[in-house]
Amino acid sequence: MVRGARPSVTVRGIVVGLAAAIAGCPVFPDDRCVNGPCAGAVTAGDGGPASAPSDDGDAGIAPDARVDASASARDDDPLLALHVAPQGSDATGTGTRESPFRTIARALAMASGDEVSLHLCAARFDETVVHVESTRRLAITGGYGCPGSSAPWAVGAAGTGETRIVSSETHRFDVRALRLRSLRIEVTSAAATSGASSVAVDARTSAGTEVARAVLVAGDAAAGAPGDANMGAAAVGLDGRAAIGTTGGTAPELSCGANVFTRGGAGGSGSGTATRGGSGATSSGSAGNAGSSGDDVTSRDCSAGGRGPDGHTAPLAGDASDELDALSFVAAHGRQGNDGAPGQGGGGGGTALARDGAPSGASGGCGGAGGAGGRGGGSSVALVVRGGDVALTDTELRSGSGGAGGAGARGANGAAGGRGVRLGETATAGPCSSGDGGFGAGGAGGEGGHGGASIGALVLAASRVVVNGDTITSSRDSAPSVTLGRAGTGGAAGLGGSGGAAFTPVAGRVGKDGLRQAIRIVTIR
């Protein structure tokens, strides 16, 4: 993970050239090249096209010809484009210059064929553009004069302004090829839902993506939620069991979860011979030494079972993944802290010769559950490209701040061990008492969620990425015309639960700060 880079100062446009364009064959082969010897002059402007395409009018063109652009059409041909303006109508509009649609969504719904071009007038469109047509080449161009202006559908006229598409949700294009020109596309800051990301444009293409003379703006992402509080209390240990006649007390066993238990040692039996009490145990071999067992010292004396040792807790090792979620771009969630081990059972009492049986030792208490990890913060990404080549020309990318990771939850407390049977020792031959169970260890605190990323362009599985004529094979911390927000901070570590007087609580791990990069080329989960 790379983090801590400062926002770069805009110097000039990024040029990310298509491999095909370098060879003289752009994504839209009927139009001018974006990069290479056939490229026309490109100038940065206020959002309108650098040069005016011919617009001789579309009067008299049959409706089918206006809507169904042919495979040989240029995407800047007004005779074949669908026009969109706030002054238009989705009910009666036909997509012509004289009768535009009112919304982009309506124009896309009415378009047919595999070559579709939209011309948008210089106005604000408050809508989310989502277009899923995997066989379609789609071109959207803005900056044209609006109906009612001094120069309707003209390009570059004084006061034309820019075309803005503003939404609270990601603009997604799942098409064969995509071209966006002379547009400002914005997504507002994410809602206050846990870990929501803010992504301006998500382009999913097979043949490539071109963005020219545009500004793509993502808002701030939302913070991740804290880890859920642990509501379950650990089970207290079982007390030792008295003997029945000459038969020693049976070993109490307490289940603390799947394949996790703590058990007291069985009491010795008086059957004409001296019998040692059993050792306490747990399902984990690392809980400490076994509880002391009863023993025959002489033919008439015995010894008490010892107390079982307390449980322990292992801290988390390593870090959670640095990867982002492939669909939501949320950073990695923090991991749950390790559960505390149960306390070991106490030893059973031993017997002397031909005496009554001894009581069994108590089981240990169960360990506390580890605290839940905090949720990862959302990411702010101006442009996501999945597959195909990518070309950006005179385009600004502006990302907001990544969301902070959520705090890890506190680990649950361990429980006290059970109480051994207190019979007391005599100088004659009474049976001995049994040992107490050990205290269960507290659960470790949860790991904080990772902070969300702030990324200009996130490129996934692209065939070729070329920046300023250089082939890019790895991520870049900064690049011209890319402005980054703050990376999300990692979530706080959860506190460890308690586990007896001598136990030291084990805190979780702090989540990592988010990624901050201008161009990120990565495979994500």
Side-chain angles (χ1 to χ4, degrees):
M1 178 178 289
V2 180
R3 50 184 184 270
R6 296 182 177 179
S8 61
V9 178
T10 299
V11 178
R12 60 191 176 86
I14 299 177
V15 180
V16 183
L18 295 173
I22 295 174
C25 301
V27 168
F28 290 78
D30 44 74
D31 204 358
R32 65 178 178 81
C33 295
V34 172
N35 193 19
C38 62
V42 177
T43 61
D46 62 358
S51 59
S54 61
D55 194 348
D56 297 329
D58 48 17
I61 302 297
D64 287 346
R66 286 194 293 266
V67 174
D68 186 4
S70 70
S72 62
R74 290 168 55 96
D75 71 277
D76 58 2
D77 188 340
L79 300 181
L80 300 167
L82 299 178
H83 297 72
V84 185
Q87 298 83 358
S89 170
D90 285 348
T92 61
T94 60
T96 64
R97 183 179 59 182
E98 292 79 9
S99 180
F101 295 116
R102 185 177 62 84
T103 64
I104 302 168
R106 179 62 175 173
L108 291 173
M110 294 300 293
S112 62
D114 291 339
E115 304 284 335
V116 175
S117 174
L118 305 186
H119 286 186
L120 277 56
C121 83
R124 173 170 172 150
F125 295 86
D126 289 297
E127 58 180 298
T128 303
V129 184
V130 177
H131 193 57
V132 180
E133 290 286 350
S134 59
T135 63
R136 176 168 286 175
R137 295 178 184 267
L138 173 65
I140 303 177
T141 305
Y144 293 92
C146 289
S149 67
S150 59
W153 300 113
V155 179
T160 297
E162 66 180 0
T163 300
R164 295 178 64 191
I165 305 174
V166 183
S167 174
S168 60
E169 301 179 23
T170 300
H171 303 278
R172 175 186 165 191
F173 302 92
D174 191 345
V175 294
R176 182 183 177 192
L178 175 67
R179 169 177 285 170
L180 304 173
R181 297 191 301 182
S182 304
L183 301 167
R184 180 186 178 96
I185 301 179
E186 303 176 38
V187 170
T188 58
S189 295
T193 54
S194 173
S197 295
S198 178
V199 178
V201 173
D202 186 354
R204 310 178 183 201
T205 69
S206 58
T209 300
E210 299 178 17
V211 184
R213 302 181 300 281
V215 180
L216 308 184
V217 183
D220 295 334
D228 294 333
N230 190 316
M231 302 300 291
V236 175
L238 302 176
D239 292 337
R241 296 169 180 168
I244 301 177
T246 60
T247 303
T250 57
E253 180 172 306
L254 175 63
S255 175
C256 299
N259 301 317
V260 179
F261 65 85
T262 171
R263 181 174 59 233
S269 295
S271 57
T273 60
T275 307
R276 295 173 61 91
S279 298
T282 68
S283 51
S284 171
S286 58
N289 295 325
S292 300
S293 62
D295 195 6
D296 57 310
V297 178
T298 69
S299 63
R300 297 186 63 81
D301 294 329
C302 61
S303 61
R307 181 184 185 276
D310 295 344
H312 75 290
T313 303
L316 284 174
D319 294 310
S321 171
D322 290 337
E323 296 175 345
L324 303 175
D325 183 84
L327 297 177
S328 65
F329 306 107
V330 172
H333 304 314
R335 296 167 296 167
Q336 178 174 333
N338 288 324
D339 296 341
Q344 193 142 340
T351 63
L353 294 175
R355 299 295 178 184
D356 292 338
S360 64
S363 78
C366 289
R375 310 296 288 178
S379 296
S380 177
V381 186
L383 172 65
V384 175
V385 178
R386 308 171 190 254
D389 297 322
V390 56
L392 282 80
T393 305
D394 292 332
T395 292
E396 294 184 46
L397 303 178
R398 303 177 188 175
S399 65
S401 295
R410 185 183 186 277
N413 296 333
R419 187 175 185 275
V421 177
R422 306 290 199 269
L423 297 180
E425 297 178 344
T426 69
T428 56
C432 296
S433 60
S434 59
D436 295 338
F439 213 111
E447 182 179 44
H450 287 9
S454 180
I455 300 175
L458 178 58
V459 183
L460 313 176
S463 300
R464 181 72 62 89
V465 179
V466 178
V467 178
N468 295 331
D470 297 328
T471 299
I472 302 301
T473 58
S474 60
S475 304
R476 296 290 178 91
D477 290 352
S478 61
S481 292
V482 178
T483 303
L484 302 175
R486 297 185 305 275
T489 55
L495 299 176
S498 61
F503 178 77
T504 301
V506 178
R509 297 176 64 96
V510 177
K512 289 184 178 180
D513 291 344
L515 176 73
R516 191 170 183 274
Q517 287 188 310
I519 299 175
R520 177 72 170 171
I521 303 174
V522 67
T523 300
I524 63 178
R525 71 172 185 264

